[in-house]
Amino acid sequence: MTNTIYDITHESDAIMLVGSNPEHAHPVIGMQVRQAVARGAKLIVVDPRDIDLAKQADVHLKLKPGTNVAFANGMMHIFIEEGLINQQFIEERTENFEAMKEMVKDYTPEKVAEICGIDADKLREAARIYATADKAPIMYCLGVTEHHTGTEGVMSMSNMAMMVGKLGRPGCGVNPIRGQNNVQGACDMGAAPNQFPGYQNLDKPGVMEKFEQAWGTKLNHQIGTKATDCFPKMISGEVKGLLIFGEDPVRTDPNTQHVIKALKSLDFFVADELFMTETAKLADVILPGRSYAEKEGTFSNTERRVQRVRKAVEIEGETRPDTWIFTEIMNRMGYPQPHLTPAEIMDEIASVTPSFGGISHERLDSEEVGGRGLQWPCPSKEHPGTPIMHAGKFARGLGYFRPAAYTPSMELPDEEYPLILMTGRILYHYNACAMTDKTEGINEIAGGSFIELNTQDAQKLGICNGDTVTVASRRGKITSEARVSEKTNPGQCWMPFHYIEGGANWLTNDALDSISSTPEYKVCAVKVTV
């Protein structure tokens, strides 16, 4: 996120919400968006479903799943055509605008309306609201990223914000909303195959050498493999051993049968887990980890805010902190490592990561910070942290317009599989259900899988609300409960991904984004029968 949760929900004149249902997936932020609208902020919802916030929206663009890039290009076409661009910002702070202008000239509102299945005048209205507002953030989530063009979708959001000068200021920016409380922290700490902590690319001159010197060892200079790219390599035998901690890909990754086949192909599979998840059931060894309440450390939330977590409970048994487990594995594999405290680990992070240079447990615990945490970049002990990024200057110098042409989703409906299936979250369950499906009250409210069908499609198929139906794709078949309404457009349906019985990911497509290797969860072709 370029901005803070507070300023985009309290200082904005308009909010553009793209591919995000925060009232269900991020309820604290969702509540603040609703309050912003009540205070008078205009709301643009860009989402294929009638989410609850769409009822509060000034404009709801109920676009076809997988058409985000076309939508963004159409918005920019209107910005240029109607003179809504911020010429001074473009000239002083960006480059490659002419290429962007050339790309979007063909994306007329009428053409985009046809691609996206929306009304051209509503697109114009949305463009005018966003461009003319003094302060307007873009907030987006998995509805933008979980496509084979997800990275281009994100870049398109940035292109829109730059074109109208809405970056580097309060109440503006491009703001991804993270799905879990430390997703941002994992990325920050180098959980990517081409980066060290703080997004330091391992092929950038001097970076590899710095870490080799700090850690006193020779490191592998090859770029590694992204998580989703590992599964085909397990089946081919290129990846023979795997350690997974805190992840349940059998439930959360696309094409469940393929995931199970991949994990069963391994010579040796270790899980570091709190619960006996569907993935842990396949492991050769399970190492019992500890929950957030049983260890010290930090979490980094969606707005880059690093906050302290303090040990609250002691439990019996042989569990260990993840840091102890990792260090012990390193020791037993011949790389001697001391067992550092969480505070010492944070100090080491600061010593090799410029954007974390001023962050330590001591400082996070101090009266100066007062429990608020610190937002990176925070390069020195005197630095107050950075609530709003790109103020005055972009990290790369000039902001780069990255043109992207619209390309259709990898799997489109046909005669055999005539419906588009989307997936997402519901309020009651948290991601892979590792915790929430252990809660009796929650299971009473939301105990099983369901599929939202449009009324017209249900009538054609002879399906009534509450019927048990079979849903099939080219990858699998499940049974679920039909919920018939106008929430989705005709030809489109939606399922939550939380459940294993009747789970959407038995059906979803494991086609990957060519840049990020994120799967195309949001679009696959299915058929539904009684």
Side-chain angles (χ1 to χ4, degrees):
M1 279 176 71
T2 58
N3 288 55
T4 70
I5 296 166
Y6 186 90
D7 84 68
I8 62 177
T9 57
H10 288 74
E11 297 190 32
S12 48
D13 303 305
I15 294 170
M16 190 195 297
L17 199 60
V18 187
S20 175
N21 184 10
E23 287 193 305
H24 278 244
H26 314 90
V28 176
I29 294 176
M31 176 187 68
Q32 293 183 29
V33 171
R34 187 173 280 271
Q35 289 169 343
V37 173
R39 283 194 300 270
K42 290 186 180 297
L43 178 64
I44 302 158
V45 170
V46 185
D47 198 286
R49 293 169 71 226
D50 285 337
I51 61 172
D52 292 341
L53 277 169
K55 296 167 194 159
Q56 312 291 315
D58 294 85
V59 180
H60 176 202
L61 297 175
K62 199 173 177 182
L63 80 180
K64 180 182 170 187
T67 61
N68 297 322
V69 171
F71 148 73
N73 286 346
M75 291 281 281
M76 288 184 279
H77 177 100
I78 296 162
F79 297 161
I80 294 166
E81 182 183 51
E82 299 194 3
L84 302 173
I85 62 173
N86 186 325
Q87 193 66 44
Q88 185 180 351
F89 188 93
I90 291 167
E91 286 173 8
E92 293 177 2
R93 295 203 48 192
T94 72
E95 60 183 335
N96 208 38
F97 174 69
E98 288 304 318
M100 192 78 241
K101 187 177 178 181
E102 182 64 25
M103 161 64 74
V104 302
K105 75 175 185 186
D106 294 334
Y107 285 85
T108 63
E110 286 68 29
K111 178 181 175 178
V112 170
E114 193 178 327
I115 293 169
C116 298
I118 56 175
D119 181 84
D121 287 335
K122 278 195 172 183
L123 184 69
R124 289 187 178 95
E125 189 184 351
R128 290 165 191 154
I129 290 171
Y130 174 65
T132 59
D134 178 36
K135 296 177 179 179
I138 296 172
M139 298 166 72
Y140 73 88
C141 193
L142 304 180
V144 171
T145 57
E146 289 184 343
H147 296 276
H148 83 286
T149 55
T151 304
E152 290 179 338
V154 173
M155 290 171 179
S156 297
M157 302 297 112
S158 304
N159 290 334
M160 277 197 289
M162 283 199 297
M163 199 173 279
V164 293
K166 287 183 171 54
L167 279 161
R169 294 195 288 122
C172 293
V174 181
N175 301 284
I177 311 174
R178 301 300 195 184
Q180 296 171 79
N181 62 340
N182 212 16
V183 167
Q184 184 68 54
C187 296
D188 296 347
M189 289 301 101
N194 63 329
Q195 290 174 329
F196 288 111
Y199 307 94
Q200 299 175 79
N201 289 333
L202 59 85
D203 56 0
K204 188 178 176 184
V207 169
M208 180 68 73
E209 293 74 13
K210 176 176 78 170
F211 281 90
E212 286 182 335
Q213 189 175 348
W215 293 340
T217 190
K218 193 78 181 152
L219 295 169
N220 186 341
H221 287 225
Q222 298 299 311
I223 288 174
T225 303
K226 297 184 181 83
T228 43
D229 291 325
C230 289
F231 294 102
K233 292 188 176 187
M234 294 175 212
I235 292 169
S236 69
E238 286 176 79
V239 171
K240 298 180 186 300
L242 185 71
L243 166 62
I244 288 182
F245 84 107
E247 189 87 4
D248 188 7
V250 170
R251 200 180 285 229
T252 60
D253 277 39
N255 193 356
T256 303
Q257 288 191 46
H258 181 255
V259 173
I260 292 170
K261 182 181 177 184
L263 294 174
K264 285 183 172 177
S265 301
L266 291 163
D267 291 350
F268 188 53
F269 172 33
V270 184
D272 171 359
E273 254 304 347
L274 308 180
F275 301 99
M276 183 56 81
T277 62
E278 297 301 315
T279 301
K281 289 173 185 174
L282 301 174
D284 297 297
V285 175
I286 300 170
L287 303 171
R290 287 186 183 173
S291 74
Y292 71 96
E294 300 158 50
K295 56 193 177 189
E296 293 281 326
T298 61
F299 281 156
S300 297
N301 76 354
T302 194
E303 60 179 1
R304 298 171 283 107
R305 190 179 296 278
V306 184
Q307 299 172 94
R308 280 281 277 123
V309 177
R310 294 170 185 84
K311 189 173 184 177
V313 295
E314 291 282 354
I315 60 165
E316 294 178 9
E318 295 298 308
T319 68
R320 292 284 189 275
D322 304 314
T323 48
W324 186 93
I325 291 170
F326 297 157
T327 303
E328 205 53 33
I329 289 172
M330 285 191 277
N331 279 321
R332 296 182 193 199
M333 289 179 74
Y335 177 50
Q337 283 293 293
H339 281 279
L340 302 177
T341 66
E344 289 170 330
I345 293 169
M346 197 77 220
D347 290 341
E348 185 190 319
I349 291 165
S351 73
V352 290
T353 313
S355 56
F356 279 70
I359 301 177
S360 64
H361 281 202
E362 184 184 13
R363 191 172 176 205
L364 292 171
D365 290 339
S366 70
E367 284 185 24
E368 171 220 346
V369 173
R372 297 184 310 275
L374 289 163
Q375 286 174 278
W376 65 259
C378 180
S380 69
K381 288 175 182 175
E382 298 75 41
H383 196 283
T386 308
I388 298 171
M389 294 182 77
H390 312 304
K393 188 181 179 184
F394 287 106
R396 70 182 293 279
L398 292 174
Y400 186 78
F401 280 102
R402 172 76 182 267
Y406 161 70
T407 55
S409 299
M410 297 293 275
E411 184 177 82
L412 296 171
D414 58 17
E415 228 171 277
E416 190 179 359
Y417 299 99
L419 300 174
I420 290 176
L421 174 69
M422 306 168 270
T423 69
R425 296 182 171 98
I426 59 172
L427 175 63
Y428 303 102
H429 281 297
Y430 185 65
N431 230 49
C433 277
M435 295 175 284
T436 51
D437 71 0
K438 313 286 187 294
T439 310
E440 208 173 293
I442 290 176
N443 286 330
E444 278 183 38
I445 299 167
S449 160
F450 63 88
I451 180 166
E452 292 177 357
L453 289 168
N454 180 272
T455 309
Q456 287 181 33
D457 296 324
Q459 284 172 348
K460 278 185 204 166
L461 296 165
I463 293 167
C464 297
N465 193 52
D467 282 355
T468 298
V469 293
T470 299
V471 191
S473 75
R474 290 178 175 83
R475 289 155 295 280
K477 186 163 69 173
I478 57 159
T479 57
S480 192
E481 179 194 324
R483 294 194 182 172
V484 179
S485 71
E486 302 300 314
K487 264 194 168 180
T488 60
N489 279 324
Q492 298 165 21
C493 52
W494 183 91
M495 291 186 76
F497 67 75
H498 308 288
Y499 305 98
I500 192 69
E501 296 296 329
N505 283 326
W506 292 96
L507 310 171
T508 47
N509 190 3
D510 50 357
L512 302 178
D513 181 314
S514 61
I515 302 168
S516 69
S517 289
T518 299
E520 189 154 59
Y521 290 99
K522 297 300 184 205
V523 181
C524 77
V526 299
K527 62 182 171 187
V528 182
T529 52
V530 182

